[in-house]
Amino acid sequence: MQARNNTFSFMAFIRHPVFLACLKIILGALFIISSVPKICHPQNFIEAIAAYRILPFALLPILAATVPWIQLFAGVFLVLDIFVQSSALIISGLLFVFIVAIASAFSRGLDIECGCFDLMGLEDKVGWVALIRDTIFLMGSGLLVIFDKNTLNFYGVTKKFFK
Amino acid sequence: MAKKTAKKAVKKVSRKKALPVPAKKPAKVIMIALLILLLALAFGGLVALAKSQKTFIKGLFIPAVPTPTATAIVVPTAVPTKTVALPGTNQRLFEASKTKEEMPSIDITQAKFLFDSGKAIFIDARSIEEYEQAHIKGALPIPAGLTQENIPKFATMLKDKILVTYCHGSGCHLANKTANALFDAGYRKVCIFWGGWPHWTEAKFPITQKEAPKP
């Protein structure tokens, strides 16, 4: 009985609007922060993706020109609480791709920069830390896809104005 | 009266049960996600296009100012086998950068162009051990971690030269760190050779190698 109560409270906790709002702001802010240096210095981002040795060289400039913008848009939409499910879906997709790329590089024993937050000057290498961090982010965005709304919500501000 | 209230309560319950569970619309979510993706792609594409237009226009105008057009045409036809790069794009490499962001990031052709010009000095940002094993011909060792000690040591050699930093190529940021340190030390003509050691050796350009110990 107690166990049932516990699971109930846990479910209530992860569905709670405050918890979801925190998730949105944290995930959105992280994505915005990581996208800005990539947009400002696409050459560094091209080098970072090239180091993974997964994609052909011709594709890299196209990716470097688009992926950071996708990150930025999805991040801004999350922070502003607009179409959260869709934005979180995009972020989940990106995170999944990042996790696969990092796992592939890690399994091949490549000692390279992650290309996630190191472009801002932080130390961020491919390894367990990057993998676990991205998995936690993926879980967070998954929760948003499942439990949040997909409207122009703005944290309920619009409801107050248009009542 | 009691019966009525009981009936109302039953009705309420039944209504609650009958209420449709808010339908999840995965198709709508995916559609909006695709729209956001398209928006971001369009934006990224436009920005990239605007940037390329800007550099294209710059490239068109820069060569006309410093060099007469006649020599610009003669050079590539006269020496077709040598690495010949466009004078317009390479002109930038000889100019000083005002900020760290402006420091040009160069590829193998431009690096070879600078190497052949004799106006550049290559700077090895890798470790001293790797430098001692092999390095680009004429390069100086300034590892990213030893910039404070080594930059003043080579000050006379670096003066008035174009400094080209390199390291392990793609994914290696040591060349950027050394270039930043050089910029901070007051050198303004600094280029970052992003292809680095792997590209240089693949192209089989001149290197200095440590002789293997004789048996």
Side-chain angles (χ1 to χ4, degrees):
Chain A
M1 193 67 197
Q2 213 173 353
R4 209 182 264 178
N5 275 342
N6 278 343
T7 50
F8 176 72
S9 61
F10 176 70
M11 287 304 283
F13 175 72
I14 56 172
R15 277 163 182 261
H16 200 277
V18 177
F19 173 73
L20 290 177
C22 288
L23 258 185
K24 277 178 258 186
I25 292 170
I26 293 169
L27 261 182
L30 280 172
F31 264 70
I32 294 170
I33 291 168
S34 75
S35 71
V36 172
K38 293 176 192 169
I39 290 170
C40 298
H41 307 289
Q43 188 61 45
N44 290 353
F45 189 44
I46 291 178
E47 286 171 28
I49 323 172
Y52 281 88
R53 295 175 211 167
I54 296 175
L55 295 164
F57 198 77
L59 266 180
L60 304 183
I62 303 170
L63 274 180
T66 50
V67 171
W69 285 103
I70 297 172
Q71 281 188 323
L72 182 71
F73 271 72
V76 169
F77 277 38
L78 265 195
V79 169
L80 294 180
D81 198 6
I82 308 167
F83 299 127
V84 172
Q85 280 182 313
S86 301
S87 317
L89 189 68
I90 293 172
I91 285 182
S92 306
L94 283 175
L95 282 169
F96 181 72
V97 174
F98 294 164
I99 288 171
V100 170
I102 292 170
S104 131
F106 190 40
S107 64
R108 281 179 288 152
L110 293 180
D111 182 25
I112 52 172
E113 301 280 340
C114 169
C116 321
F117 295 98
D118 53 286
L119 300 179
M120 297 183 295
L122 299 172
E123 190 81 7
D124 191 10
K125 287 213 159 193
V126 158
W128 284 114
V129 179
L131 265 178
I132 293 167
R133 183 194 59 206
D134 279 8
T135 314
I136 292 169
F137 290 168
L138 182 62
M139 282 157 67
S141 64
L143 285 180
L144 288 176
V145 174
I146 298 166
F147 295 119
D148 216 293
K149 294 166 191 165
N150 205 39
T151 50
L152 292 163
N153 199 19
F154 294 108
Y155 299 101
V157 178
T158 45
K159 257 188 188 175
K160 274 185 186 171
F161 277 105
F162 298 111
K163 231 178 183 180
Chain B
M1 194 62 186
K3 268 186 185 176
K4 270 188 182 175
T5 49
K7 268 185 185 175
K8 270 186 185 173
V10 169
K11 263 188 184 176
K12 265 189 183 174
V13 170
S14 62
R15 254 188 223 162
K16 267 189 183 173
K17 275 186 180 171
L19 268 177
V21 182
K24 282 182 182 172
K25 294 173 183 166
K28 198 182 160 192
V29 172
I30 293 167
M31 279 292 287
I32 296 174
L34 285 176
L35 277 176
I36 298 172
L37 266 181
L38 269 178
L39 191 70
L41 287 178
F43 209 85
L46 277 175
V47 170
L49 196 72
K51 268 188 186 172
S52 67
Q53 289 287 327
K54 210 175 165 187
T55 47
F56 176 69
I57 292 165
K58 258 189 185 176
L60 278 179
F61 286 109
I62 286 172
V65 183
T67 49
T69 47
T71 52
I73 297 161
V74 168
V75 170
T77 48
V79 200
T81 46
K82 255 196 164 183
T83 334
V84 178
L86 297 170
T89 48
N90 283 347
Q91 188 58 39
R92 169 71 190 89
L93 308 179
F94 296 103
E95 290 165 5
S97 308
K98 283 172 194 159
T99 59
K100 281 181 190 173
E101 286 72 31
E102 274 183 23
M103 286 190 295
S105 203
I106 63 171
D107 61 8
I108 181 79
T109 0
Q110 289 168 312
K112 186 64 173 41
F113 173 80
L114 284 175
F115 185 83
D116 290 338
S117 74
K119 290 177 183 170
I121 279 203
F122 280 68
I123 288 163
D124 198 324
R126 305 172 302 161
S127 65
I128 293 285
E129 291 78 33
E130 282 167 310
Y131 172 85
E132 281 172 353
Q133 281 296 320
H135 55 262
I136 292 177
K137 202 177 171 187
L140 298 174
I142 305 186
L146 291 173
T147 49
Q148 298 284 344
E149 296 88 341
N150 283 15
I151 292 176
K153 214 161 84 182
F154 297 118
T156 46
M157 297 169 88
L158 301 177
K159 205 183 166 192
D160 299 329
K161 289 277 186 181
I162 297 156
L163 311 178
V164 183
T165 62
Y166 72 92
C167 56
H168 303 108
S170 300
C172 165
H173 293 187
L174 301 173
N176 298 50
K177 284 176 188 165
T178 300
N180 285 342
L182 284 165
F183 191 91
D184 289 335
Y187 298 95
R188 291 291 177 266
K189 292 180 183 178
V190 185
C191 301
I192 300 155
F193 172 28
W194 63 266
W197 181 246
H199 281 204
W200 192 266
T201 45
E202 268 170 36
K204 293 185 178 161
F205 287 149
I207 58 167
T208 307
Q209 209 163 2
K210 191 181 178 183
E211 278 178 31
K214 283 170 191 170

